[in-house]
Short mmCIF file of all heavy atoms in Angstrom, two decimals:
data_model
loop_
_atom_site.label_atom_id
_atom_site.label_comp_id
_atom_site.label_asym_id
_atom_site.label_seq_id
_atom_site.Cartn_x
_atom_site.Cartn_y
_atom_site.Cartn_z
N SER A 49 4.01 1.60 8.27
CA SER A 49 4.02 0.37 7.46
C SER A 49 3.51 0.59 6.04
O SER A 49 3.03 -0.37 5.42
CB SER A 49 3.19 -0.73 8.13
OG SER A 49 3.61 -0.91 9.45
N ARG A 50 3.59 1.79 5.55
CA ARG A 50 3.16 2.05 4.16
C ARG A 50 4.37 2.53 3.35
O ARG A 50 5.29 3.14 3.87
CB ARG A 50 2.09 3.16 4.10
CG ARG A 50 0.91 2.95 5.03
CD ARG A 50 -0.07 1.93 4.53
NE ARG A 50 -0.88 2.39 3.41
CZ ARG A 50 -1.99 3.10 3.52
NH1 ARG A 50 -2.44 3.46 4.71
NH2 ARG A 50 -2.69 3.44 2.46
N ASN A 51 4.30 2.25 2.05
CA ASN A 51 5.29 2.82 1.13
C ASN A 51 4.88 4.26 0.88
O ASN A 51 3.73 4.53 0.51
CB ASN A 51 5.28 2.04 -0.19
CG ASN A 51 5.67 0.60 0.02
OD1 ASN A 51 6.78 0.31 0.46
ND2 ASN A 51 4.75 -0.33 -0.27
N THR A 52 5.81 5.17 1.11
CA THR A 52 5.45 6.59 1.09
C THR A 52 6.13 7.32 -0.06
O THR A 52 7.33 7.18 -0.29
CB THR A 52 5.84 7.24 2.43
OG1 THR A 52 5.18 6.51 3.48
CG2 THR A 52 5.43 8.70 2.50
N LEU A 53 5.33 8.07 -0.81
CA LEU A 53 5.85 8.89 -1.91
C LEU A 53 5.86 10.34 -1.44
O LEU A 53 4.83 10.85 -0.99
CB LEU A 53 4.94 8.78 -3.14
CG LEU A 53 5.09 7.52 -4.02
CD1 LEU A 53 4.68 6.28 -3.28
CD2 LEU A 53 4.27 7.68 -5.29
N ILE A 54 7.00 10.98 -1.50
CA ILE A 54 7.09 12.39 -1.12
C ILE A 54 7.31 13.22 -2.38
O ILE A 54 8.29 13.02 -3.10
CB ILE A 54 8.21 12.62 -0.10
CG1 ILE A 54 7.90 11.82 1.18
CG2 ILE A 54 8.38 14.12 0.21
CD1 ILE A 54 8.84 12.01 2.33
N PHE A 55 6.35 14.11 -2.67
CA PHE A 55 6.42 14.94 -3.88
C PHE A 55 6.95 16.32 -3.51
O PHE A 55 6.39 17.00 -2.63
CB PHE A 55 5.03 15.10 -4.50
CG PHE A 55 4.50 13.86 -5.13
CD1 PHE A 55 3.80 12.92 -4.37
CD2 PHE A 55 4.68 13.61 -6.48
CE1 PHE A 55 3.30 11.76 -4.95
CE2 PHE A 55 4.18 12.46 -7.08
CZ PHE A 55 3.49 11.53 -6.31
N THR A 56 7.98 16.75 -4.18
CA THR A 56 8.51 18.09 -3.96
C THR A 56 9.27 18.49 -5.22
O THR A 56 9.37 17.72 -6.18
CB THR A 56 9.43 18.11 -2.71
OG1 THR A 56 9.87 19.45 -2.48
CG2 THR A 56 10.64 17.22 -2.88
N THR A 57 9.80 19.70 -5.25
CA THR A 57 10.70 20.08 -6.33
C THR A 57 11.65 21.13 -5.77
O THR A 57 11.30 21.81 -4.80
CB THR A 57 9.89 20.52 -7.59
OG1 THR A 57 10.74 20.46 -8.74
CG2 THR A 57 9.31 21.92 -7.46
N LEU A 58 12.85 21.24 -6.34
CA LEU A 58 13.88 22.04 -5.66
C LEU A 58 14.13 23.40 -6.31
O LEU A 58 15.28 23.83 -6.48
CB LEU A 58 15.18 21.23 -5.54
CG LEU A 58 15.06 19.91 -4.77
CD1 LEU A 58 16.42 19.26 -4.59
CD2 LEU A 58 14.39 20.09 -3.40
N TYR A 59 13.07 24.08 -6.66
CA TYR A 59 13.17 25.46 -7.13
C TYR A 59 11.79 26.08 -6.97
O TYR A 59 10.80 25.42 -7.26
CB TYR A 59 13.62 25.52 -8.60
CG TYR A 59 13.86 26.95 -9.05
CD1 TYR A 59 15.10 27.54 -8.86
CD2 TYR A 59 12.82 27.70 -9.60
CE1 TYR A 59 15.30 28.86 -9.24
CE2 TYR A 59 13.02 29.01 -9.97
CZ TYR A 59 14.26 29.59 -9.79
OH TYR A 59 14.47 30.89 -10.14
N PRO A 60 11.64 27.34 -6.56
CA PRO A 60 12.70 28.28 -6.20
C PRO A 60 13.20 28.03 -4.77
O PRO A 60 12.71 27.14 -4.09
CB PRO A 60 11.99 29.62 -6.31
CG PRO A 60 10.56 29.33 -6.01
CD PRO A 60 10.30 27.93 -6.49
N ARG A 61 14.12 28.88 -4.35
CA ARG A 61 14.73 28.80 -3.02
C ARG A 61 15.18 27.36 -2.75
O ARG A 61 14.69 26.65 -1.87
CB ARG A 61 13.74 29.31 -1.96
CG ARG A 61 13.33 30.76 -2.25
CD ARG A 61 12.79 31.44 -1.05
NE ARG A 61 11.46 30.97 -0.73
CZ ARG A 61 10.77 31.35 0.32
NH1 ARG A 61 11.28 32.19 1.17
NH2 ARG A 61 9.55 30.90 0.54
N GLN A 62 16.16 26.97 -3.57
CA GLN A 62 16.64 25.59 -3.58
C GLN A 62 17.01 25.05 -2.21
O GLN A 62 16.65 23.91 -1.87
CB GLN A 62 17.90 25.49 -4.49
CG GLN A 62 17.67 25.81 -5.95
CD GLN A 62 17.79 27.28 -6.28
OE1 GLN A 62 17.36 28.13 -5.52
NE2 GLN A 62 18.31 27.59 -7.45
N GLU A 63 17.74 25.86 -1.42
CA GLU A 63 18.25 25.33 -0.15
C GLU A 63 17.10 25.06 0.83
O GLU A 63 17.08 24.04 1.53
CB GLU A 63 19.26 26.31 0.49
CG GLU A 63 20.53 26.49 -0.30
CD GLU A 63 20.37 27.33 -1.56
OE1 GLU A 63 19.37 28.08 -1.69
OE2 GLU A 63 21.23 27.23 -2.43
N ARG A 64 16.15 25.98 0.85
CA ARG A 64 14.98 25.77 1.72
C ARG A 64 14.20 24.54 1.27
O ARG A 64 13.77 23.72 2.08
CB ARG A 64 14.03 26.96 1.60
CG ARG A 64 14.36 28.14 2.44
CD ARG A 64 13.37 29.24 2.10
NE ARG A 64 12.01 28.86 2.46
CZ ARG A 64 11.44 29.16 3.63
NH1 ARG A 64 12.10 29.86 4.50
NH2 ARG A 64 10.22 28.76 3.89
N ALA A 65 14.01 24.44 -0.04
CA ALA A 65 13.23 23.32 -0.57
C ALA A 65 13.93 22.00 -0.24
O ALA A 65 13.28 21.01 0.13
CB ALA A 65 13.03 23.48 -2.07
N LEU A 66 15.25 22.00 -0.36
CA LEU A 66 15.99 20.77 -0.06
C LEU A 66 15.87 20.42 1.42
O LEU A 66 15.57 19.28 1.78
CB LEU A 66 17.47 20.95 -0.45
CG LEU A 66 18.40 19.81 -0.06
CD1 LEU A 66 17.99 18.50 -0.75
CD2 LEU A 66 19.85 20.13 -0.39
N LEU A 67 16.08 21.42 2.26
CA LEU A 67 16.02 21.15 3.70
C LEU A 67 14.63 20.67 4.10
O LEU A 67 14.48 19.71 4.88
CB LEU A 67 16.42 22.40 4.50
CG LEU A 67 16.50 22.16 6.00
CD1 LEU A 67 17.49 21.04 6.33
CD2 LEU A 67 16.91 23.42 6.74
N LYS A 68 13.62 21.31 3.51
CA LYS A 68 12.25 20.90 3.86
C LYS A 68 12.01 19.44 3.41
O LYS A 68 11.37 18.65 4.13
CB LYS A 68 11.25 21.83 3.18
CG LYS A 68 9.96 21.92 3.96
CD LYS A 68 8.89 22.52 3.15
CE LYS A 68 8.95 24.04 3.21
NZ LYS A 68 7.84 24.60 2.41
N THR A 69 12.57 19.09 2.27
CA THR A 69 12.44 17.71 1.80
C THR A 69 13.11 16.74 2.78
O THR A 69 12.53 15.71 3.16
CB THR A 69 13.08 17.56 0.40
OG1 THR A 69 12.50 18.54 -0.46
CG2 THR A 69 12.86 16.18 -0.18
N LEU A 70 14.32 17.10 3.22
CA LEU A 70 15.04 16.23 4.16
C LEU A 70 14.24 16.08 5.46
O LEU A 70 14.15 14.98 6.02
CB LEU A 70 16.43 16.81 4.46
CG LEU A 70 17.38 16.95 3.26
CD1 LEU A 70 18.66 17.67 3.67
CD2 LEU A 70 17.72 15.59 2.65
N LEU A 71 13.64 17.18 5.91
CA LEU A 71 12.84 17.11 7.15
C LEU A 71 11.64 16.20 6.96
O LEU A 71 11.30 15.39 7.83
CB LEU A 71 12.38 18.52 7.56
CG LEU A 71 13.48 19.53 7.93
CD1 LEU A 71 12.86 20.91 8.21
CD2 LEU A 71 14.28 19.07 9.13
N ALA A 72 10.99 16.33 5.81
CA ALA A 72 9.79 15.51 5.55
C ALA A 72 10.17 14.02 5.45
O ALA A 72 9.45 13.15 5.95
CB ALA A 72 9.10 15.97 4.27
N VAL A 73 11.32 13.75 4.84
CA VAL A 73 11.77 12.35 4.72
C VAL A 73 12.05 11.79 6.12
O VAL A 73 11.62 10.68 6.46
CB VAL A 73 13.03 12.26 3.82
CG1 VAL A 73 13.63 10.85 3.86
CG2 VAL A 73 12.69 12.66 2.38
N ASP A 74 12.73 12.57 6.93
CA ASP A 74 13.05 12.12 8.29
C ASP A 74 11.75 11.86 9.07
O ASP A 74 11.62 10.84 9.77
CB ASP A 74 13.91 13.18 9.00
CG ASP A 74 14.44 12.67 10.32
OD1 ASP A 74 15.28 11.75 10.30
OD2 ASP A 74 13.99 13.16 11.38
N ALA A 75 10.80 12.77 8.91
CA ALA A 75 9.52 12.61 9.62
C ALA A 75 8.80 11.34 9.16
O ALA A 75 8.24 10.60 9.98
CB ALA A 75 8.64 13.84 9.39
N ALA A 76 8.83 11.09 7.85
CA ALA A 76 8.14 9.91 7.32
C ALA A 76 8.80 8.62 7.82
O ALA A 76 8.15 7.64 8.17
CB ALA A 76 8.13 9.96 5.79
N ARG A 77 10.12 8.65 7.86
CA ARG A 77 10.86 7.47 8.33
C ARG A 77 10.52 7.21 9.80
O ARG A 77 10.24 6.08 10.20
CB ARG A 77 12.35 7.75 8.15
CG ARG A 77 13.23 6.51 8.10
CD ARG A 77 14.64 6.86 7.66
NE ARG A 77 15.19 8.02 8.36
CZ ARG A 77 15.72 7.97 9.58
NH1 ARG A 77 15.76 6.83 10.25
NH2 ARG A 77 16.22 9.06 10.13
N ARG A 78 10.52 8.28 10.59
CA ARG A 78 10.21 8.12 12.02
C ARG A 78 8.76 7.70 12.25
O ARG A 78 8.43 7.08 13.26
CB ARG A 78 10.48 9.42 12.78
CG ARG A 78 11.94 9.71 12.89
CD ARG A 78 12.23 11.05 13.48
NE ARG A 78 13.63 11.38 13.28
CZ ARG A 78 14.64 10.85 13.98
NH1 ARG A 78 14.40 9.99 14.93
NH2 ARG A 78 15.88 11.17 13.71
N ALA A 79 7.90 8.05 11.27
CA ALA A 79 6.49 7.65 11.40
C ALA A 79 6.28 6.19 10.99
O ALA A 79 5.16 5.68 11.04
CB ALA A 79 5.61 8.57 10.54
N GLY A 80 7.37 5.54 10.53
CA GLY A 80 7.28 4.10 10.26
C GLY A 80 7.04 3.73 8.80
O GLY A 80 6.61 2.60 8.51
N ALA A 81 7.35 4.66 7.87
CA ALA A 81 7.21 4.30 6.45
C ALA A 81 8.12 3.12 6.14
O ALA A 81 9.27 3.09 6.60
CB ALA A 81 7.61 5.51 5.59
N ILE A 82 7.62 2.16 5.34
CA ILE A 82 8.51 1.03 5.04
C ILE A 82 9.44 1.34 3.87
O ILE A 82 10.51 0.77 3.76
CB ILE A 82 7.75 -0.30 4.79
CG1 ILE A 82 6.57 -0.12 3.85
CG2 ILE A 82 7.33 -0.95 6.08
CD1 ILE A 82 5.92 -1.43 3.47
N SER A 83 9.03 2.27 3.03
CA SER A 83 9.95 2.74 1.99
C SER A 83 9.57 4.17 1.66
O SER A 83 8.42 4.58 1.82
CB SER A 83 9.87 1.86 0.75
OG SER A 83 8.71 2.18 0.02
N ILE A 84 10.56 4.92 1.20
CA ILE A 84 10.30 6.32 0.83
C ILE A 84 10.82 6.56 -0.58
O ILE A 84 12.00 6.33 -0.87
CB ILE A 84 10.97 7.30 1.83
CG1 ILE A 84 10.39 7.08 3.23
CG2 ILE A 84 10.78 8.75 1.37
CD1 ILE A 84 11.00 7.92 4.32
N THR A 85 9.92 7.03 -1.44
CA THR A 85 10.31 7.43 -2.79
C THR A 85 10.15 8.93 -2.87
O THR A 85 9.06 9.45 -2.58
CB THR A 85 9.40 6.75 -3.84
OG1 THR A 85 9.54 5.33 -3.71
CG2 THR A 85 9.78 7.16 -5.26
N ALA A 86 11.22 9.63 -3.22
CA ALA A 86 11.12 11.08 -3.39
C ALA A 86 10.93 11.38 -4.87
O ALA A 86 11.72 10.91 -5.71
CB ALA A 86 12.38 11.76 -2.87
N ILE A 87 9.87 12.10 -5.17
CA ILE A 87 9.62 12.50 -6.57
C ILE A 87 9.97 13.98 -6.64
O ILE A 87 9.28 14.83 -6.09
CB ILE A 87 8.15 12.25 -6.98
CG1 ILE A 87 7.85 10.75 -6.91
CG2 ILE A 87 7.89 12.75 -8.41
CD1 ILE A 87 7.20 10.31 -5.66
N ILE A 88 11.09 14.27 -7.31
CA ILE A 88 11.64 15.62 -7.35
C ILE A 88 11.86 16.00 -8.81
O ILE A 88 12.95 15.80 -9.38
CB ILE A 88 12.97 15.68 -6.56
CG1 ILE A 88 12.78 15.11 -5.14
CG2 ILE A 88 13.51 17.11 -6.52
CD1 ILE A 88 13.99 15.19 -4.24
N PRO A 89 10.82 16.54 -9.47
CA PRO A 89 10.97 16.81 -10.91
C PRO A 89 12.19 17.68 -11.23
O PRO A 89 12.93 17.37 -12.15
CB PRO A 89 9.65 17.51 -11.28
CG PRO A 89 8.68 17.00 -10.27
CD PRO A 89 9.46 16.79 -8.99
#
Side-chain angles (χ1 to χ4, degrees):
S49 307
R50 309 283 287 275
N51 298 299
T52 303
L53 281 65
I54 298 185
F55 290 86
T56 183
T57 199
L58 301 186
Y59 186 87
R61 301 200 286 176
Q62 297 87 321
E63 294 74 18
R64 277 176 65 93
L66 174 62
L67 185 57
K68 208 195 275 182
T69 306
L70 299 174
L71 296 176
V73 171
D74 189 68
R77 201 169 47 80
R78 289 173 193 285
I82 47 173
S83 77
I84 299 177
T85 300
I87 297 97
I88 307 183

